[in-house]
Amino acid sequence: MEQRVTEQAEKLGTIVSIWAHPDDETYGAGGIMAAAIANGQRVVCVSATAGELGTDDPVAWPPERLGRTRRWEAAAAMAVLGVTDHRFLGYPDGGLAAMDPAEPVERIAALLADVAPDTVLTFGPDGGTFHPDHQTISAWVGAAWERAGRPGRLLHAAMTQEHLATWSERYEQWQVFMTDERPVGVAEEELALRVHLTGADLDRKIAALLAMHTQVAPAVALLGMEEYRALNDEEAFVEAR
């Protein structure tokens, strides 16, 4: 019998959830974070950037306007999920890979040492979509985790083989991948954590995503709400290697 997401989240203890852009955390771990909060667990969510370059129309959405709006959207999404500790590191969107990692790694290590999490959630080395910011934050978090003495478990977001078999064509239409590379699906037995969201748990995650209108509106228009919900009902992680 499959465990409820609240039962799975309970095993994660205090969670630090670290991502590149606001909306990454909700796509990757919104259901898990919300369930942990509902259990009374501490959740600290971190966004490295405000996602100020995340648009196909920079004339209508110059960086200052989009960054400001995405912070508002993220605040609304966090309110839906119940996350009250959401921190922005203030780094430049699209510019993480060009930065000297010393300062951000030290900063994240200090955060981990202060919070002392039982579980750290972030991207895997491929960044899911091969976005350089996603890949860089994965590397930074890994280095910071080592520097902080490996507090808790470090889990990397992953796509299952089943998920990719179902949705790979739609991902291509959505144009989510940043290079010609594609993620390799993970077999179920390799997973450290996998949740399937249904009912109110999925409703809450979708409500949080829809709060980020500047980012999700094109996907909802492409997929339709029924498919958009189905595509986002799974969250999966592997142990960091």
Side-chain angles (χ1 to χ4, degrees):
M1 183 177 178
E2 189 172 280
Q3 288 183 308
R4 289 175 50 84
V5 62
T6 52
E7 296 169 340
Q8 292 172 287
E10 187 175 14
K11 300 174 184 178
L12 304 181
T14 295
I15 297 171
V16 173
S17 185
I18 308 181
W19 309 84
H21 316 101
D23 81 340
D24 294 339
E25 76 296 312
T26 307
Y27 275 119
I32 291 166
M33 292 192 300
I37 293 290
N39 287 338
Q41 297 161 236
R42 185 182 182 189
V43 174
V44 178
C45 186
V46 181
S47 299
T49 82
E52 65 272 14
L53 300 184
T55 179
D56 292 330
D57 188 358
V59 174
W61 289 99
E64 182 179 2
R65 181 188 182 203
L66 184 58
R68 180 175 63 237
T69 301
R70 290 192 71 176
R71 283 175 177 265
W72 291 334
E73 291 177 337
M78 294 302 103
V80 172
L81 298 177
V83 176
T84 58
D85 192 345
H86 181 209
R87 310 180 189 189
F88 284 92
L89 300 182
Y91 297 132
D93 187 13
L96 302 190
M99 291 179 60
D100 182 337
E103 188 272 342
V105 167
E106 184 61 37
R107 189 173 174 188
I108 295 168
L111 182 152
L112 295 178
D114 177 60
V115 176
D118 300 294
T119 307
V120 180
L121 305 177
T122 192
F123 287 111
D126 65 4
T129 63
F130 300 91
H131 191 306
D133 281 352
H134 295 186
Q135 294 174 302
T136 301
I137 199 68
S138 176
W140 286 356
V141 172
W145 181 68
E146 293 281 359
R147 181 168 299 185
R150 296 190 172 191
R153 303 165 70 196
L154 175 57
L155 301 185
H156 284 162
M159 296 186 190
T160 64
Q161 292 174 345
E162 179 183 356
H163 180 84
L164 283 174
T166 302
W167 296 109
S168 59
E169 184 177 341
R170 283 309 223 173
Y171 279 129
E172 297 296 341
Q173 294 170 342
W174 191 359
Q175 298 181 324
V176 299
F177 300 117
M178 304 291 287
T179 72
D180 290 335
E181 297 179 274
R182 294 295 180 266
V184 177
V186 178
E188 185 171 4
E189 58 269 21
E190 297 178 50
L191 295 172
L193 174 66
R194 183 187 193 183
V195 300
H196 288 283
L197 304 174
T198 60
D201 295 322
L202 181 56
D203 288 343
R204 181 168 48 190
K205 177 176 179 174
I206 296 301
L209 286 169
L210 293 178
M212 303 186 194
H213 181 76
T214 63
Q215 303 307 299
V216 308
V220 174
L222 171 68
L223 299 170
M225 184 53 69
E226 184 177 347
E227 280 200 350
Y228 186 74
R229 286 174 60 86
L231 184 144
N232 286 293
D233 70 3
E234 178 176 277
E235 297 170 7
F237 289 83
V238 296
E239 297 279 355
R241 294 185 177 89

